[in-house]
Amino acid sequence: MKVENGPSILLFGGYPGSGKTTQIGLLSQTTETAVLSAGNLLRQETGKGTKLGQVFLEYSSKGIRAPDHVVCGILAPHIRLLLDRGGRGFLSDGFPKSVPQLTFLEDLCASRVAGMIYLDAPEEILIGRAVARGHCENCGPVPGTVDPCVTCGSAVSVRYDDDAETVRNRLNSYAQGNQEVVEALKLRGTFVRVDATRGVSAVSESVGAAYRQLTDRGSEPTSAGAE
């Protein structure tokens, strides 16, 4: 596996409702870096009615993480497309969520990930945010369910998996698999935890600091915005 010459891949971790999509969008704008939005791509696949999309829907509708080969099979063409476009690499929102997925990503990109920015918040805040949000077809998750989107005017709907019970199942499922990725990156020294209970601007400032830590090989990643 190439490490030095491969593309730069930075992961965003955190439970559903932690604000990953908002923060990764802001960071993408300021750094002019492409984004792999795994959640949107997976939901698009279910909408197309493909075989992999149907299998993914069977699991996600219950808040259960789909098998690794299903997720990787859906996302692989989109990752290759980002690689073909060149550039400085990409920010990954919601992928990988297991060590096999991490290995798949690094093998496919012929590069190790630069690290993970992990947005941390307690369960009660996460569930409250998730059940109160809408999903804009253009912007992704948005606060509230006002239709159309106040930012871009596109249609806003409620996600099929954003009821309290399903969100709680998703949190449990996420914890079971994603903890492996967190521990793997901690061992590499490329994991930064950010306190996501604060406002968007405060979290964004900490995310920017974490980004600079992880993309500066001379820095020692620790935590940002932690109490």
Side-chain angles (χ1 to χ4, degrees), residues 111-176:
S111 177
R112 279 200 170 192
V113 301
M116 174 187 284
I117 298 174
Y118 187 90
L119 304 185
D120 195 20
E123 182 176 299
E124 60 270 21
I125 290 180
L126 298 171
I127 294 177
R129 287 177 177 176
V131 299
R133 70 184 178 181
H135 188 84
C136 171
E137 62 183 18
N138 180 55
C139 303
V142 293
T145 57
V146 176
D147 185 27
C149 177
V150 296
T151 300
C152 71
S154 298
V156 172
S157 59
V158 177
R159 274 178 46 169
Y160 63 84
D161 55 352
D162 266 352
D163 63 276
E165 181 179 355
T166 305
V167 169
R168 188 170 284 104
N169 287 340
R170 282 163 52 205
L171 295 179
N172 293 334
S173 177
Y174 182 92
Q176 292 171 7

Side-chain angles (χ1 to χ4, degrees), residues 7-11 106 112-116 190-191 214-215 217:
S8 176
I9 309 160
L10 185 64
L11 311 181
E106 293 187 322
R112 279 200 170 192
V113 301
M116 174 187 284
T190 57
F191 175 88
L214 290 170
T215 54
R217 298 300 183 182

